[in-house]
Amino acid sequence: MPNVRDRVAQAAIKLLLEPIFENVFSDHSYGFRPNRSQRRAVESAHKIVKSGKPYVVDIDLSKFFDRIHHDRLIARVGQHVSDKRILRLIGITLRSGVMDNGLVSATTEGTTQGSPLSPLLSNIVLDELDKELERRDLEFCRFADDCNIFVKTPKAAEGVMSNICKFIENRLKLVVNLEKSQVAKSDRVKFLAMTIVNGSIAISHKALQTAMAKVKELTPRGSHLTLEKTIEQINSWYVGWASYFSMTHFPAQLVKIEAQIRRRLRSRLVDQQKSKRSLFRKLMKRDIPRRMAANAVFSNRKRWALSKTIAVSKAYSNHWFIVVMGLKIRSDQKLSHWFDLNQWVRLA
């Protein structure tokens, strides 16, 4: 990791080089650039698919940042920067070495981890790929080393995959991970954790699974944390997560995560009661009708099943979690007009 002095020097070089290369970079490149973002990249991919190019060539570069060829990179920078001092500083940065357990080993390829300059240098390396794709008149979206190329037919996609892989390995001296690279329809390919299903943007299945796992991690059984502290941790994660994934055209995907959060919190509240009678009294105090509370509590249902009953859901309502406890998620809304049921089944 670079120290403070190195970071200052690298940040200064970045400020000098960025305006120069912004005029050179492709409009199809969205990563680590001013006024560009993942959202714009996904929206651009969505627009290309809707234009009639549903097949995707998804190219995965193996350990990209660790395999950048130093001489080719400096030569590429030298095409637009004539000051030898800048080129020398970049070379020193790239070849600064790595210290592990007090021993320094030389770095003959790759960029420095944590360097302010590394994202810009990675874009300079892959700009050569962008130019090649533009020369072949291919439509694509690239965010850092995540590149998707869009074509009309499976045959065309296979041809593009073969030719572009050869270009990357022979010309750029990088390695394509053939196990993770694929040719498929857009609804089978994830791009920046999103996927395009029937012309609509959706959260990928893997991202949903990861979110569900995170919810479980933040709401474990038998936690020593108070409910307030747990909700604070959930808010810290979910606000940023939902802000990014709000680009989905299927809000029901977000509601599914939010419902899971509330149910696991209700399950904890049920489990905190020492006996069924204690839970019954608690529900009564929260204005739940006596018969409804008794039917829910005095049954053979365990904590997880009880957490979904009407009695517990009313006692600890969505409004209570949001207004009283400060849980920063929306209340449930009617979903019938939000999504096509058949599409949701595929996404779930």
Side-chain angles (χ1 to χ4, degrees), residues 20-52:
I20 297 172
F21 284 96
E22 270 301 304
N23 296 323
V24 176
F25 288 155
S26 168
D27 289 337
H28 301 283
S29 168
Y30 295 90
F32 311 124
R33 295 179 61 188
N35 303 317
R36 288 173 176 258
S37 63
Q38 292 103 320
R39 180 182 291 270
R40 285 189 61 184
V42 172
E43 289 174 349
S44 178
H46 171 235
K47 185 177 179 181
I48 295 172
V49 171
K50 288 194 71 176
S51 70

PDB file of all heavy atoms in Angstrom, residues 20-52:
ATOM      1  N   ILE A  20      -6.334  15.088 -19.954  1.00  0.00           N
ATOM      2  CA  ILE A  20      -5.742  14.721 -21.248  1.00  0.00           C
ATOM      3  C   ILE A  20      -6.447  13.492 -21.812  1.00  0.00           C
ATOM      4  O   ILE A  20      -6.868  13.469 -22.976  1.00  0.00           O
ATOM      5  CB  ILE A  20      -4.231  14.457 -21.104  1.00  0.00           C
ATOM      6  CG1 ILE A  20      -3.501  15.735 -20.665  1.00  0.00           C
ATOM      7  CG2 ILE A  20      -3.645  13.918 -22.413  1.00  0.00           C
ATOM      8  CD1 ILE A  20      -2.035  15.522 -20.320  1.00  0.00           C
ATOM      9  N   PHE A  21      -6.596  12.472 -20.975  1.00  0.00           N
ATOM     10  CA  PHE A  21      -7.140  11.206 -21.458  1.00  0.00           C
ATOM     11  C   PHE A  21      -8.665  11.205 -21.539  1.00  0.00           C
ATOM     12  O   PHE A  21      -9.236  10.362 -22.242  1.00  0.00           O
ATOM     13  CB  PHE A  21      -6.640  10.049 -20.589  1.00  0.00           C
ATOM     14  CG  PHE A  21      -5.217   9.678 -20.882  1.00  0.00           C
ATOM     15  CD1 PHE A  21      -4.178  10.185 -20.130  1.00  0.00           C
ATOM     16  CD2 PHE A  21      -4.908   8.844 -21.949  1.00  0.00           C
ATOM     17  CE1 PHE A  21      -2.867   9.864 -20.410  1.00  0.00           C
ATOM     18  CE2 PHE A  21      -3.596   8.509 -22.246  1.00  0.00           C
ATOM     19  CZ  PHE A  21      -2.569   9.024 -21.473  1.00  0.00           C
ATOM     20  N   GLU A  22      -9.326  12.123 -20.838  1.00  0.00           N
ATOM     21  CA  GLU A  22     -10.779  12.208 -20.958  1.00  0.00           C
ATOM     22  C   GLU A  22     -11.188  12.534 -22.393  1.00  0.00           C
ATOM     23  O   GLU A  22     -12.260  12.136 -22.849  1.00  0.00           O
ATOM     24  CB  GLU A  22     -11.337  13.268 -20.004  1.00  0.00           C
ATOM     25  CG  GLU A  22     -11.694  12.740 -18.630  1.00  0.00           C
ATOM     26  CD  GLU A  22     -12.730  11.635 -18.667  1.00  0.00           C
ATOM     27  OE1 GLU A  22     -13.821  11.858 -19.225  1.00  0.00           O
ATOM     28  OE2 GLU A  22     -12.462  10.541 -18.157  1.00  0.00           O
ATOM     29  N   ASN A  23     -10.337  13.260 -23.093  1.00  0.00           N
ATOM     30  CA  ASN A  23     -10.623  13.585 -24.494  1.00  0.00           C
ATOM     31  C   ASN A  23     -10.335  12.417 -25.434  1.00  0.00           C
ATOM     32  O   ASN A  23     -10.696  12.455 -26.604  1.00  0.00           O
ATOM     33  CB  ASN A  23      -9.788  14.799 -24.931  1.00  0.00           C
ATOM     34  CG  ASN A  23     -10.160  16.057 -24.168  1.00  0.00           C
ATOM     35  OD1 ASN A  23     -11.329  16.269 -23.859  1.00  0.00           O
ATOM     36  ND2 ASN A  23      -9.176  16.873 -23.846  1.00  0.00           N
ATOM     37  N   VAL A  24      -9.668  11.391 -24.901  1.00  0.00           N
ATOM     38  CA  VAL A  24      -9.261  10.232 -25.709  1.00  0.00           C
ATOM     39  C   VAL A  24     -10.173   9.036 -25.477  1.00  0.00           C
ATOM     40  O   VAL A  24     -10.483   8.283 -26.392  1.00  0.00           O
ATOM     41  CB  VAL A  24      -7.795   9.850 -25.386  1.00  0.00           C
ATOM     42  CG1 VAL A  24      -7.389   8.593 -26.127  1.00  0.00           C
ATOM     43  CG2 VAL A  24      -6.858  11.014 -25.697  1.00  0.00           C
ATOM     44  N   PHE A  25     -10.612   8.873 -24.224  1.00  0.00           N
ATOM     45  CA  PHE A  25     -11.371   7.679 -23.851  1.00  0.00           C
ATOM     46  C   PHE A  25     -12.683   7.558 -24.629  1.00  0.00           C
ATOM     47  O   PHE A  25     -13.286   8.543 -25.038  1.00  0.00           O
ATOM     48  CB  PHE A  25     -11.670   7.687 -22.351  1.00  0.00           C
ATOM     49  CG  PHE A  25     -10.477   7.421 -21.482  1.00  0.00           C
ATOM     50  CD1 PHE A  25     -10.437   7.893 -20.171  1.00  0.00           C
ATOM     51  CD2 PHE A  25      -9.395   6.694 -21.943  1.00  0.00           C
ATOM     52  CE1 PHE A  25      -9.351   7.645 -19.357  1.00  0.00           C
ATOM     53  CE2 PHE A  25      -8.294   6.446 -21.135  1.00  0.00           C
ATOM     54  CZ  PHE A  25      -8.279   6.925 -19.841  1.00  0.00           C
ATOM     55  N   SER A  26     -13.122   6.302 -24.753  1.00  0.00           N
ATOM     56  CA  SER A  26     -14.354   5.987 -25.462  1.00  0.00           C
ATOM     57  C   SER A  26     -15.586   6.395 -24.656  1.00  0.00           C
ATOM     58  O   SER A  26     -15.579   6.381 -23.422  1.00  0.00           O
ATOM     59  CB  SER A  26     -14.414   4.485 -25.749  1.00  0.00           C
ATOM     60  OG  SER A  26     -15.694   4.093 -26.180  1.00  0.00           O
ATOM     61  N   ASP A  27     -16.653   6.736 -25.360  1.00  0.00           N
ATOM     62  CA  ASP A  27     -17.923   7.038 -24.694  1.00  0.00           C
ATOM     63  C   ASP A  27     -18.559   5.792 -24.089  1.00  0.00           C
ATOM     64  O   ASP A  27     -19.501   5.890 -23.303  1.00  0.00           O
ATOM     65  CB  ASP A  27     -18.911   7.661 -25.697  1.00  0.00           C
ATOM     66  CG  ASP A  27     -18.513   9.071 -26.085  1.00  0.00           C
ATOM     67  OD1 ASP A  27     -17.780   9.715 -25.306  1.00  0.00           O
ATOM     68  OD2 ASP A  27     -18.928   9.531 -27.167  1.00  0.00           O
ATOM     69  N   HIS A  28     -18.052   4.620 -24.455  1.00  0.00           N
ATOM     70  CA  HIS A  28     -18.607   3.363 -23.940  1.00  0.00           C
ATOM     71  C   HIS A  28     -17.909   2.912 -22.657  1.00  0.00           C
ATOM     72  O   HIS A  28     -18.227   1.855 -22.127  1.00  0.00           O
ATOM     73  CB  HIS A  28     -18.467   2.261 -24.993  1.00  0.00           C
ATOM     74  CG  HIS A  28     -19.158   2.577 -26.281  1.00  0.00           C
ATOM     75  ND1 HIS A  28     -20.515   2.485 -26.443  1.00  0.00           N
ATOM     76  CD2 HIS A  28     -18.671   3.018 -27.476  1.00  0.00           C
ATOM     77  CE1 HIS A  28     -20.851   2.838 -27.680  1.00  0.00           C
ATOM     78  NE2 HIS A  28     -19.739   3.171 -28.318  1.00  0.00           N
ATOM     79  N   SER A  29     -16.954   3.713 -22.168  1.00  0.00           N
ATOM     80  CA  SER A  29     -16.231   3.398 -20.938  1.00  0.00           C
ATOM     81  C   SER A  29     -16.819   4.218 -19.790  1.00  0.00           C
ATOM     82  O   SER A  29     -16.957   5.438 -19.904  1.00  0.00           O
ATOM     83  CB  SER A  29     -14.743   3.727 -21.108  1.00  0.00           C
ATOM     84  OG  SER A  29     -14.083   3.695 -19.869  1.00  0.00           O
ATOM     85  N   TYR A  30     -17.173   3.567 -18.667  1.00  0.00           N
ATOM     86  CA  TYR A  30     -17.888   4.244 -17.588  1.00  0.00           C
ATOM     87  C   TYR A  30     -17.187   4.167 -16.235  1.00  0.00           C
ATOM     88  O   TYR A  30     -17.597   4.844 -15.298  1.00  0.00           O
ATOM     89  CB  TYR A  30     -19.297   3.649 -17.448  1.00  0.00           C
ATOM     90  CG  TYR A  30     -20.172   3.894 -18.654  1.00  0.00           C
ATOM     91  CD1 TYR A  30     -20.200   2.981 -19.710  1.00  0.00           C
ATOM     92  CD2 TYR A  30     -20.945   5.038 -18.758  1.00  0.00           C
ATOM     93  CE1 TYR A  30     -20.987   3.201 -20.831  1.00  0.00           C
ATOM     94  CE2 TYR A  30     -21.739   5.269 -19.868  1.00  0.00           C
ATOM     95  CZ  TYR A  30     -21.751   4.349 -20.901  1.00  0.00           C
ATOM     96  OH  TYR A  30     -22.531   4.578 -22.013  1.00  0.00           O
ATOM     97  N   GLY A  31     -16.151   3.370 -16.113  1.00  0.00           N
ATOM     98  CA  GLY A  31     -15.532   3.170 -14.808  1.00  0.00           C
ATOM     99  C   GLY A  31     -14.475   4.193 -14.451  1.00  0.00           C
ATOM    100  O   GLY A  31     -13.633   4.537 -15.286  1.00  0.00           O
ATOM    101  N   PHE A  32     -14.520   4.691 -13.211  1.00  0.00           N
ATOM    102  CA  PHE A  32     -13.481   5.579 -12.659  1.00  0.00           C
ATOM    103  C   PHE A  32     -13.270   6.830 -13.517  1.00  0.00           C
ATOM    104  O   PHE A  32     -12.133   7.261 -13.738  1.00  0.00           O
ATOM    105  CB  PHE A  32     -12.148   4.828 -12.525  1.00  0.00           C
ATOM    106  CG  PHE A  32     -12.263   3.491 -11.852  1.00  0.00           C
ATOM    107  CD1 PHE A  32     -11.809   2.345 -12.487  1.00  0.00           C
ATOM    108  CD2 PHE A  32     -12.821   3.372 -10.591  1.00  0.00           C
ATOM    109  CE1 PHE A  32     -11.915   1.106 -11.872  1.00  0.00           C
ATOM    110  CE2 PHE A  32     -12.925   2.148  -9.974  1.00  0.00           C
ATOM    111  CZ  PHE A  32     -12.469   1.006 -10.608  1.00  0.00           C
ATOM    112  N   ARG A  33     -14.387   7.383 -13.990  1.00  0.00           N
ATOM    113  CA  ARG A  33     -14.291   8.601 -14.791  1.00  0.00           C
ATOM    114  C   ARG A  33     -15.239   9.659 -14.253  1.00  0.00           C
ATOM    115  O   ARG A  33     -16.301   9.324 -13.710  1.00  0.00           O
ATOM    116  CB  ARG A  33     -14.626   8.305 -16.262  1.00  0.00           C
ATOM    117  CG  ARG A  33     -13.635   7.378 -16.940  1.00  0.00           C
ATOM    118  CD  ARG A  33     -14.044   7.102 -18.372  1.00  0.00           C
ATOM    119  NE  ARG A  33     -14.097   8.326 -19.172  1.00  0.00           N
ATOM    120  CZ  ARG A  33     -14.563   8.385 -20.414  1.00  0.00           C
ATOM    121  NH1 ARG A  33     -15.018   7.285 -20.995  1.00  0.00           N
ATOM    122  NH2 ARG A  33     -14.578   9.531 -21.066  1.00  0.00           N
ATOM    123  N   PRO A  34     -14.887  10.948 -14.418  1.00  0.00           N
ATOM    124  CA  PRO A  34     -15.758  12.017 -13.907  1.00  0.00           C
ATOM    125  C   PRO A  34     -17.130  11.983 -14.576  1.00  0.00           C
ATOM    126  O   PRO A  34     -17.253  11.738 -15.777  1.00  0.00           O
ATOM    127  CB  PRO A  34     -14.989  13.297 -14.295  1.00  0.00           C
ATOM    128  CG  PRO A  34     -13.591  12.869 -14.536  1.00  0.00           C
ATOM    129  CD  PRO A  34     -13.656  11.468 -15.046  1.00  0.00           C
ATOM    130  N   ASN A  35     -18.165  12.211 -13.770  1.00  0.00           N
ATOM    131  CA  ASN A  35     -19.549  12.318 -14.260  1.00  0.00           C
ATOM    132  C   ASN A  35     -20.046  11.029 -14.925  1.00  0.00           C
ATOM    133  O   ASN A  35     -20.926  11.070 -15.785  1.00  0.00           O
ATOM    134  CB  ASN A  35     -19.687  13.492 -15.243  1.00  0.00           C
ATOM    135  CG  ASN A  35     -19.264  14.807 -14.633  1.00  0.00           C
ATOM    136  OD1 ASN A  35     -19.605  15.106 -13.486  1.00  0.00           O
ATOM    137  ND2 ASN A  35     -18.498  15.599 -15.378  1.00  0.00           N
ATOM    138  N   ARG A  36     -19.446   9.905 -14.557  1.00  0.00           N
ATOM    139  CA  ARG A  36     -19.910   8.611 -15.061  1.00  0.00           C
ATOM    140  C   ARG A  36     -20.076   7.665 -13.877  1.00  0.00           C
ATOM    141  O   ARG A  36     -19.447   7.833 -12.845  1.00  0.00           O
ATOM    142  CB  ARG A  36     -18.937   8.033 -16.090  1.00  0.00           C
ATOM    143  CG  ARG A  36     -18.990   8.789 -17.410  1.00  0.00           C
ATOM    144  CD  ARG A  36     -17.931   8.346 -18.388  1.00  0.00           C
ATOM    145  NE  ARG A  36     -18.103   9.040 -19.652  1.00  0.00           N
ATOM    146  CZ  ARG A  36     -18.654   8.534 -20.737  1.00  0.00           C
ATOM    147  NH1 ARG A  36     -19.099   7.289 -20.716  1.00  0.00           N
ATOM    148  NH2 ARG A  36     -18.776   9.235 -21.832  1.00  0.00           N
ATOM    149  N   SER A  37     -20.927   6.659 -14.043  1.00  0.00           N
ATOM    150  CA  SER A  37     -21.253   5.798 -12.907  1.00  0.00           C
ATOM    151  C   SER A  37     -21.739   4.438 -13.383  1.00  0.00           C
ATOM    152  O   SER A  37     -21.965   4.220 -14.578  1.00  0.00           O
ATOM    153  CB  SER A  37     -22.357   6.456 -12.069  1.00  0.00           C
ATOM    154  OG  SER A  37     -23.554   6.587 -12.843  1.00  0.00           O
ATOM    155  N   GLN A  38     -21.921   3.531 -12.421  1.00  0.00           N
ATOM    156  CA  GLN A  38     -22.488   2.219 -12.735  1.00  0.00           C
ATOM    157  C   GLN A  38     -23.889   2.356 -13.305  1.00  0.00           C
ATOM    158  O   GLN A  38     -24.264   1.626 -14.221  1.00  0.00           O
ATOM    159  CB  GLN A  38     -22.531   1.342 -11.472  1.00  0.00           C
ATOM    160  CG  GLN A  38     -21.166   0.919 -10.959  1.00  0.00           C
ATOM    161  CD  GLN A  38     -20.742   1.735  -9.761  1.00  0.00           C
ATOM    162  OE1 GLN A  38     -20.974   2.949  -9.719  1.00  0.00           O
ATOM    163  NE2 GLN A  38     -20.107   1.096  -8.790  1.00  0.00           N
ATOM    164  N   ARG A  39     -24.661   3.278 -12.754  1.00  0.00           N
ATOM    165  CA  ARG A  39     -26.041   3.460 -13.229  1.00  0.00           C
ATOM    166  C   ARG A  39     -26.063   3.808 -14.718  1.00  0.00           C
ATOM    167  O   ARG A  39     -26.844   3.245 -15.491  1.00  0.00           O
ATOM    168  CB  ARG A  39     -26.742   4.555 -12.421  1.00  0.00           C
ATOM    169  CG  ARG A  39     -28.187   4.803 -12.841  1.00  0.00           C
ATOM    170  CD  ARG A  39     -28.794   5.924 -12.031  1.00  0.00           C
ATOM    171  NE  ARG A  39     -28.973   5.532 -10.656  1.00  0.00           N
ATOM    172  CZ  ARG A  39     -30.085   4.958 -10.182  1.00  0.00           C
ATOM    173  NH1 ARG A  39     -31.100   4.711 -11.008  1.00  0.00           N
ATOM    174  NH2 ARG A  39     -30.190   4.642  -8.918  1.00  0.00           N
ATOM    175  N   ARG A  40     -25.197   4.717 -15.122  1.00  0.00           N
ATOM    176  CA  ARG A  40     -25.154   5.097 -16.538  1.00  0.00           C
ATOM    177  C   ARG A  40     -24.713   3.927 -17.414  1.00  0.00           C
ATOM    178  O   ARG A  40     -25.199   3.759 -18.529  1.00  0.00           O
ATOM    179  CB  ARG A  40     -24.213   6.288 -16.732  1.00  0.00           C
ATOM    180  CG  ARG A  40     -24.784   7.616 -16.269  1.00  0.00           C
ATOM    181  CD  ARG A  40     -23.897   8.776 -16.680  1.00  0.00           C
ATOM    182  NE  ARG A  40     -23.750   8.867 -18.131  1.00  0.00           N
ATOM    183  CZ  ARG A  40     -22.966   9.746 -18.747  1.00  0.00           C
ATOM    184  NH1 ARG A  40     -22.246  10.598 -18.021  1.00  0.00           N
ATOM    185  NH2 ARG A  40     -22.882   9.778 -20.054  1.00  0.00           N
ATOM    186  N   ALA A  41     -23.802   3.113 -16.896  1.00  0.00           N
ATOM    187  CA  ALA A  41     -23.342   1.951 -17.655  1.00  0.00           C
ATOM    188  C   ALA A  41     -24.474   0.949 -17.853  1.00  0.00           C
ATOM    189  O   ALA A  41     -24.685   0.434 -18.962  1.00  0.00           O
ATOM    190  CB  ALA A  41     -22.172   1.288 -16.929  1.00  0.00           C
ATOM    191  N   VAL A  42     -25.221   0.666 -16.793  1.00  0.00           N
ATOM    192  CA  VAL A  42     -26.331  -0.285 -16.880  1.00  0.00           C
ATOM    193  C   VAL A  42     -27.427   0.253 -17.788  1.00  0.00           C
ATOM    194  O   VAL A  42     -28.000  -0.482 -18.604  1.00  0.00           O
ATOM    195  CB  VAL A  42     -26.881  -0.590 -15.471  1.00  0.00           C
ATOM    196  CG1 VAL A  42     -28.162  -1.429 -15.564  1.00  0.00           C
ATOM    197  CG2 VAL A  42     -25.847  -1.318 -14.630  1.00  0.00           C
ATOM    198  N   GLU A  43     -27.725   1.530 -17.682  1.00  0.00           N
ATOM    199  CA  GLU A  43     -28.760   2.131 -18.538  1.00  0.00           C
ATOM    200  C   GLU A  43     -28.351   2.096 -20.002  1.00  0.00           C
ATOM    201  O   GLU A  43     -29.189   1.889 -20.886  1.00  0.00           O
ATOM    202  CB  GLU A  43     -29.033   3.570 -18.090  1.00  0.00           C
ATOM    203  CG  GLU A  43     -29.777   3.651 -16.758  1.00  0.00           C
ATOM    204  CD  GLU A  43     -29.905   5.067 -16.249  1.00  0.00           C
ATOM    205  OE1 GLU A  43     -29.232   5.976 -16.817  1.00  0.00           O
ATOM    206  OE2 GLU A  43     -30.667   5.302 -15.283  1.00  0.00           O
ATOM    207  N   SER A  44     -27.070   2.278 -20.263  1.00  0.00           N
ATOM    208  CA  SER A  44     -26.579   2.196 -21.636  1.00  0.00           C
ATOM    209  C   SER A  44     -26.716   0.774 -22.170  1.00  0.00           C
ATOM    210  O   SER A  44     -27.144   0.568 -23.317  1.00  0.00           O
ATOM    211  CB  SER A  44     -25.118   2.648 -21.692  1.00  0.00           C
ATOM    212  OG  SER A  44     -24.598   2.529 -22.993  1.00  0.00           O
ATOM    213  N   ALA A  45     -26.355  -0.221 -21.339  1.00  0.00           N
ATOM    214  CA  ALA A  45     -26.507  -1.621 -21.748  1.00  0.00           C
ATOM    215  C   ALA A  45     -27.973  -1.943 -22.009  1.00  0.00           C
ATOM    216  O   ALA A  45     -28.308  -2.639 -22.981  1.00  0.00           O
ATOM    217  CB  ALA A  45     -25.946  -2.537 -20.658  1.00  0.00           C
ATOM    218  N   HIS A  46     -28.842  -1.442 -21.173  1.00  0.00           N
ATOM    219  CA  HIS A  46     -30.289  -1.650 -21.341  1.00  0.00           C
ATOM    220  C   HIS A  46     -30.771  -1.080 -22.675  1.00  0.00           C
ATOM    221  O   HIS A  46     -31.538  -1.718 -23.405  1.00  0.00           O
ATOM    222  CB  HIS A  46     -31.021  -0.975 -20.172  1.00  0.00           C
ATOM    223  CG  HIS A  46     -32.502  -0.928 -20.310  1.00  0.00           C
ATOM    224  ND1 HIS A  46     -33.223   0.242 -20.245  1.00  0.00           N
ATOM    225  CD2 HIS A  46     -33.405  -1.915 -20.528  1.00  0.00           C
ATOM    226  CE1 HIS A  46     -34.503  -0.029 -20.411  1.00  0.00           C
ATOM    227  NE2 HIS A  46     -34.650  -1.323 -20.581  1.00  0.00           N
ATOM    228  N   LYS A  47     -30.286   0.093 -23.008  1.00  0.00           N
ATOM    229  CA  LYS A  47     -30.679   0.735 -24.266  1.00  0.00           C
ATOM    230  C   LYS A  47     -30.212  -0.074 -25.476  1.00  0.00           C
ATOM    231  O   LYS A  47     -30.950  -0.231 -26.459  1.00  0.00           O
ATOM    232  CB  LYS A  47     -30.083   2.146 -24.313  1.00  0.00           C
ATOM    233  CG  LYS A  47     -30.526   2.967 -25.520  1.00  0.00           C
ATOM    234  CD  LYS A  47     -29.943   4.371 -25.437  1.00  0.00           C
ATOM    235  CE  LYS A  47     -30.361   5.206 -26.657  1.00  0.00           C
ATOM    236  NZ  LYS A  47     -29.775   6.568 -26.594  1.00  0.00           N
ATOM    237  N   ILE A  48     -29.004  -0.627 -25.404  1.00  0.00           N
ATOM    238  CA  ILE A  48     -28.468  -1.426 -26.516  1.00  0.00           C
ATOM    239  C   ILE A  48     -29.287  -2.700 -26.701  1.00  0.00           C
ATOM    240  O   ILE A  48     -29.631  -3.084 -27.819  1.00  0.00           O
ATOM    241  CB  ILE A  48     -26.982  -1.764 -26.279  1.00  0.00           C
ATOM    242  CG1 ILE A  48     -26.130  -0.496 -26.283  1.00  0.00           C
ATOM    243  CG2 ILE A  48     -26.482  -2.728 -27.351  1.00  0.00           C
ATOM    244  CD1 ILE A  48     -24.693  -0.719 -25.865  1.00  0.00           C
ATOM    245  N   VAL A  49     -29.617  -3.369 -25.589  1.00  0.00           N
ATOM    246  CA  VAL A  49     -30.415  -4.602 -25.673  1.00  0.00           C
ATOM    247  C   VAL A  49     -31.778  -4.309 -26.281  1.00  0.00           C
ATOM    248  O   VAL A  49     -32.271  -5.051 -27.137  1.00  0.00           O
ATOM    249  CB  VAL A  49     -30.560  -5.247 -24.280  1.00  0.00           C
ATOM    250  CG1 VAL A  49     -31.565  -6.401 -24.321  1.00  0.00           C
ATOM    251  CG2 VAL A  49     -29.207  -5.764 -23.786  1.00  0.00           C
ATOM    252  N   LYS A  50     -32.403  -3.211 -25.860  1.00  0.00           N
ATOM    253  CA  LYS A  50     -33.721  -2.867 -26.391  1.00  0.00           C
ATOM    254  C   LYS A  50     -33.670  -2.500 -27.874  1.00  0.00           C
ATOM    255  O   LYS A  50     -34.678  -2.592 -28.581  1.00  0.00           O
ATOM    256  CB  LYS A  50     -34.324  -1.706 -25.595  1.00  0.00           C
ATOM    257  CG  LYS A  50     -34.782  -2.085 -24.199  1.00  0.00           C
ATOM    258  CD  LYS A  50     -35.660  -1.019 -23.584  1.00  0.00           C
ATOM    259  CE  LYS A  50     -37.029  -0.982 -24.265  1.00  0.00           C
ATOM    260  NZ  LYS A  50     -37.942  -0.015 -23.620  1.00  0.00           N
ATOM    261  N   SER A  51     -32.495  -2.107 -28.356  1.00  0.00           N
ATOM    262  CA  SER A  51     -32.371  -1.738 -29.769  1.00  0.00           C
ATOM    263  C   SER A  51     -32.351  -2.958 -30.678  1.00  0.00           C
ATOM    264  O   SER A  51     -32.370  -2.822 -31.905  1.00  0.00           O
ATOM    265  CB  SER A  51     -31.101  -0.911 -29.986  1.00  0.00           C
ATOM    266  OG  SER A  51     -29.937  -1.714 -29.841  1.00  0.00           O
ATOM    267  N   GLY A  52     -32.304  -4.170 -30.091  1.00  0.00           N
ATOM    268  CA  GLY A  52     -32.360  -5.385 -30.896  1.00  0.00           C
ATOM    269  C   GLY A  52     -31.086  -6.212 -30.884  1.00  0.00           C
ATOM    270  O   GLY A  52     -30.837  -6.987 -31.804  1.00  0.00           O
TER     271      GLY A  52
END
